[in-house]
Amino acid sequence: MDINDLIKKSMGDEDLNSEEIAELFKVPLFSDEAALIQVASYRKSKIASENLAEVHAQIGLNIAPCPKNCLFCAFAASSGVFKEKSELPLSEVIERAKGFEADGANAVFLMSTADYPFTKFLETGLEVRKALRTETKLVANVGDFTLEEAKRIKAAGFCGVYHALRLGEGRDSRLRPEKRLETFSNAREAGLLLGTCLEPVGNEHTIDELVEKTIITREARPVFSGAARRIPIPNTKLSEYGLVSEARMAHILAVVRLALGYNIPGNCTHEPNVIGAAAGANLFWAEVGSNPRDTKKETKEARGMSVGDCRRLLEEAEWKVLSGPSVFYSEDGKKNADSDSSVICESALSHTQ
Ligand code: SF4
């Protein structure tokens, strides 16, 4: 298959099939074709998001040895990283959320471990919602939920959720892939906008699995997808596979961008880096509190970046960062996710000629 033809097809907003996506993933790093893929991805992200990148900010509410034991997560009881439970007091959650708002985050996320009491999560959400400006977007990052729970998340003032069917789901985690997909549709039915991602990418993942999960993110009709690497948790089985380089992640997130249509405006990567942004990532996260990729209790003292750090990295890749509430998590983002994108397609074609 000619890589130029595949790029043209993607830029013309035709869906690439699994064989075509696999061809793009197979392209060697630092080849001429890899450079073309990344340039096209950057351009496609710019068109899809009308030239504006976003910085979202996440507060990890709690730490607990989690019985679900996902092998890539520092909270997994089996990792032995955190032996005690702890959580941020509500007053501190509110203060941090307001701090993110003041720093210019385009959306504020609340994250908890999967076994955190659902009602308590909602109560915290309600209080944070009251403390933030009405227009500030609040997003939930929690475990799987039913339709009823999805409606309660929405009623508590969240406009959307982050959720993923992760690489190795059901193999490296004890969560059923079907359940993850049910959560996608519950969110959708309740009117919650979905952000998702191809994650957590490790060196051992086959191209077939990357392709399969990329297509799942496309079919979920999210407001953003993207690709994020796995951070090795010391002394765990998966840490033996090491860390995927930022250069390789740049290629992977670029292929994801090309596999997805213009109707999906966001393309994230984590952790924030300039090569990724130059390859088409237009969404980074700042983080405080607990972090499933960190062995420190307070991630802002370790892996977590600030809103300013994320903005600076995006700007280094010539992105302009949106000022104000997230467009990805807005009715416009939703409209895009629901549209057939024929209008955007015409505009894109004019950029490829
Ligand atoms: S990823 Fe979520 S469900 Fe899995 S161990 Fe971590 S907190 Fe638990």
Side-chain angles (χ1 to χ4, degrees):
M1 266 179 254
D2 186 317
I3 296 301
N4 281 296
D5 289 345
L6 298 182
I7 291 174
K8 245 187 214 155
K9 184 173 176 185
S10 164
M11 296 304 281
D13 212 21
E14 272 187 74
D15 277 354
L16 301 179
N17 63 33
S18 50
E19 290 77 31
E20 292 168 333
I21 298 168
E23 281 306 306
L24 295 182
F25 275 130
K26 282 182 206 159
V27 167
L29 293 186
F30 304 113
S31 60
D32 292 355
E33 289 169 324
L36 289 174
I37 288 169
Q38 293 188 24
V39 168
S41 161
Y42 184 78
R43 198 172 294 158
K44 192 164 184 178
S45 277
K46 286 234 156 173
I47 297 165
S49 63
E50 298 184 351
N51 293 316
L52 290 170
E54 299 195 8
V55 175
H56 296 180
Q58 175 159 283
I59 304 166
L61 300 183
N62 76 308
I63 285 174
C66 178
K68 308 279 185 199
N69 281 328
C70 305
L71 296 184
F72 36 75
C73 175
F75 303 142
S78 59
S79 78
V81 176
F82 297 110
K83 301 211 165 38
E84 309 289 333
K85 286 188 174 189
S86 64
E87 61 188 273
L88 291 176
L90 178 61
S91 56
E92 200 163 331
V93 176
I94 291 174
E95 192 187 311
R96 289 172 181 224
K98 289 173 83 168
F100 276 148
E101 187 182 61
D103 291 344
N106 306 112
V108 175
F109 285 45
L110 299 185
M111 181 207 67
S112 71
T113 58
D115 59 344
Y116 191 73
F118 184 69
T119 310
K120 192 165 189 193
F121 182 85
L122 292 186
E123 285 164 4
T124 304
L126 273 169
E127 292 304 318
V128 171
R129 177 70 278 164
K130 272 192 249 166
L132 295 176
R133 290 195 291 266
T134 327
E135 65 273 22
T136 299
K137 305 289 180 186
L138 188 62
V139 180
N141 184 356
V142 287
D144 286 303
F145 46 79
T146 63
L147 175 58
E148 202 45 48
E149 288 169 332
K151 288 177 180 166
R152 291 175 67 196
I153 293 172
K154 175 92 174 153
F158 292 92
C159 66
V161 292
Y162 176 81
H163 208 69
L165 174 56
R166 289 127 352 141
L167 288 149
E169 201 78 81
R171 181 184 68 226
D172 299 332
S173 78
R174 290 187 191 158
L175 305 180
R176 284 190 308 114
E178 302 75 33
K179 187 103 184 139
R180 308 294 286 173
L181 294 174
E182 268 169 46
T183 298
F184 282 175
S185 55
N186 291 337
R188 197 172 181 80
E189 206 172 326
L192 289 163
L193 298 172
L194 172 73
T196 192
C197 181
L198 177 70
E199 57 115 335
V201 182
N203 284 313
E204 78 283 13
H205 291 129
T206 62
I207 287 187
D208 282 352
E209 189 168 7
L210 296 178
V211 170
E212 181 208 4
K213 296 295 189 314
T214 298
I215 291 177
I216 286 172
T217 76
R218 179 168 77 193
E219 290 177 347
R221 287 191 283 158
V223 294
F224 68 81
S225 181
R229 64 182 178 177
R230 184 178 67 231
I231 301 298
I233 308 299
N235 307 317
T236 58
K237 184 170 156 258
L238 292 182
S239 68
E240 290 166 17
Y241 295 107
L243 180 66
V244 179
S245 67
E246 288 182 353
R248 182 157 174 251
M249 284 309 303
H251 180 69
I252 293 172
L253 74 90
V255 174
V256 172
R257 174 69 276 178
L258 293 182
L260 271 56
Y262 293 96
N263 57 337
I264 296 167
N267 193 48
C268 69
T269 198
H270 207 60
E271 290 165 347
N273 67 92
V274 179
I275 316 177
N282 59 1
L283 171 59
F284 284 169
W285 278 274
E287 292 173 290
V288 296
S290 62
N291 174 349
R293 283 162 286 93
D294 208 335
T295 51
K296 293 269 187 238
K297 218 168 142 184
E298 173 48 69
T299 197
K300 77 173 172 185
E301 289 161 11
R303 305 202 75 88
M305 290 195 190
S306 67
V307 173
D309 293 335
C310 293
R311 190 182 295 121
R312 184 180 53 76
L313 292 172
L314 285 161
E315 287 170 356
E316 290 286 3
E318 298 285 332
W319 276 101
K320 190 170 181 318
V321 179
L322 173 74
S323 147
S326 170
V327 173
F328 298 165
Y329 274 110
S330 70
E331 283 311 304
D332 279 353
K334 182 172 184 308
K335 235 185 290 156
N336 283 341
D338 289 341
S339 79
D340 66 4
S341 65
S342 53
V343 178
I344 306 171
C345 171
E346 277 169 29
S347 140
L349 280 169
S350 68
H351 283 75
T352 58
Q353 283 153 7

